[in-house]
Amino acid sequence: MLDLFSIFSKGGIVLWCFQSTSEIFTPSVNALIRSVILQERSGNNTFGHAALTLQYKLDNEFELVFVVAYQRILQLAYVDKLLSDVQREFRDKYKNELAAGDSAGGAANLDFTATFHRLLKECEHWAKTQAKIPKQMRSFEDSLKSKKTVASMIERKGEDKGKKSVKIVETAAACNGRAAEAGAGAGGAADDDDVIAASRARLASKLAARGKKEPKAAKSPKSPAAAERKQPRVWALGGAPRDAAGLDYGAPGDDAEAGAARGDLQLVGQMAGDIRELEVEDEAEAEAGAAAGGVFSYFKGLVGSRGLTQADMAPALERLRDHLISKNVAADIANKLCDSVAASLDGKVLGTFESVWSSVRAALTAALLQILRPRRRLDVLRDALHARQQRRPYVITFCGVNGVGKSTNLAKICFWLVENGLSVLVAACDTFRAGAVEQLRTHVRRLNALHPPAGPAGAARVALYEKGYGKDAASIAAEAIRAAAAAGTDVVLVDTAGRMQDNEPLMRALAKLITVNQPDLVLFVGEALVGNEAVDQLVRFNQALADHGGANPRCIDGIVLTKFDTIDDKVGAAISMTYLTGQPIVFVGTGQTYRDLKALNARAVVNALMK
Ligand code: GDP
């Protein structure tokens, strides 16, 4: 049985509601709105909160949210259908009010209860009849195997051979057999099917033959090509890394490390001064790209000899909005950007394509600059030099979930600081993940190999403060800061353990580390690769620090957005992060060398958005 069905606008006004119990559902619905709808998180439309399951459907045209809540232990097969049916009927019934925006004011007057109960009854009846229909066996065409292509079954170099290859042979053979049957049953399949079946047979026999010839492929000596390929890094527990030979600059006679050192040496001197901005694509190239299929093409039709009206622009703005959303820009930010473009074009006479292009572009750039402009200025280099004048270390804490690039980007920032003449102490406060300390130790060795101490008695530019694993991270950070102050080190970079934003004990521990040590800067590290998931992490880290940080909590001061090189033009998450928290993106990670650290450039973001 349903507990709640609610229809509300994205602005938060409840238009109609049905409740079958007197339970208070507000916290659950609020949680859904906060964690899913406002974050624009895609995925399935189900959300669990307390003992409830909530399912929702969005109506983008009228900006409506339809939410159903029921007890988690129940399995209601008709909920999806009910949501769709209710959405359709509600829209049909009240489309005039919705279009005119009257529904919000007259919320109490929307009499939808009778329609809802009729639809609910129909859906319940539908679910019963569905349950009675005996389950049919799936035909081959319906099965997932029939959808497999030859390409999806080809074993790629570097993949685990052995077990997997056996599976592939089976799958290929099975598919081959069944495809042939299906083809015969159909009285001669289409040519494509024959080609696929023949290719599958060839692949199956090839793989079977390979399996016989090389029963223990994994143990056979490596081919020269395989030897050249990058091997996965293995971090040892305690002591030197297991593959230290490949990482330790200091180890004498170590060719791999020496080779890497020679490569890295080219980086020395390239990061002096402020962090360089993300490169902006050539203006003409960007324009050509946008004209070919991007934003500009939507606005072409606006060239004319009379002043533009909102009605003229509406279709183009709608397409612009969808376009921005496709680049991971959250819907309310997309609306804001579209409003800025509309405001700047309203009443204008745009006689040429160029004038349309430059007006749209200028409006988007101005709006984005406003969003990306930080609430407060953040100049790490200047602040670190200022701290040095005060004879105290400048402390930066890095936090984020696992694998986002905290240690790697900490090392890049360290390289940049050293390039600017500062000495650094890296505090290994990830006392949890096996290999975390060794990873930092290797970076410290590399960094010192690139910037050796001045003179034989000179101190190393980068040092590591480590106390192994399992200890209290907050105390290690405190000891490291004291040690840095005693040694006159300029900057302390505190690496922390990766943690999920909803892990309360770990978030408490992070809040403690920050509260106890009061770093100058708390940087949240998030990967651009995961889009709006990174936005969610950031918002929830911030919230957790606020919740657990005591009377005077310290929250996130800035963002390191990593793996920016992997996202092509889906730059929306970068905008949402700043928009939602007001905190600046201080560094952007653009690759895996020490030089791949950039500052965000609004023009580069605009170009990516307009493609
Ligand atoms: P941590 O668990 O957060 O400390 O993550 P790591 O620093 O160990 O990084 C995880 C992986 O992400 C490593 O393979 C890094 O080389 C990679 N990585 C980090 N930053 C970047 C970046 O800006 N671009 C790319 N392409 N990879 C990155």
Side-chain angles (χ1 to χ4, degrees), residues 545-558:
L545 291 182
D547 290 347
H548 306 307
N552 261 333
R554 275 290 303 279
C555 294
I556 306 284
D557 300 311

Side-chain angles (χ1 to χ4, degrees), residues 211-233:
K212 272 182 211 145
K213 261 193 264 162
E214 298 168 343
K216 287 184 183 166
K219 288 199 177 161
S220 65
K222 279 183 196 153
S223 68
E228 266 173 33
R229 255 194 326 262
K230 194 177 174 211
Q231 297 302 312
R233 203 173 273 184

Side-chain angles (χ1 to χ4, degrees), residues 81-97:
K81 180 170 162 50
L82 180 67
L83 280 165
S84 301
D85 291 356
V86 169
Q87 180 201 16
R88 201 182 48 247
E89 295 243 355
F90 190 83
R91 281 174 54 120
D92 287 352
K93 197 163 176 184
Y94 299 113
K95 58 178 175 295
N96 294 337
E97 288 89 335

Side-chain angles (χ1 to χ4, degrees), residues 278-301:
L278 281 173
E279 282 95 19
V280 184
E281 197 181 354
D282 178 56
E283 214 71 343
E285 236 174 70
E287 183 166 344
V295 166
F296 184 46
S297 62
Y298 313 148
F299 288 86
K300 273 181 186 162

Side-chain angles (χ1 to χ4, degrees), residues 8-11 58-65 321 331 335:
F8 53 90
S9 71
K10 281 195 184 166
L58 303 178
D59 182 306
N60 288 330
E61 188 182 347
F62 294 118
E63 305 264 286
L64 299 180
V65 186
R321 183 176 177 279
N335 287 338

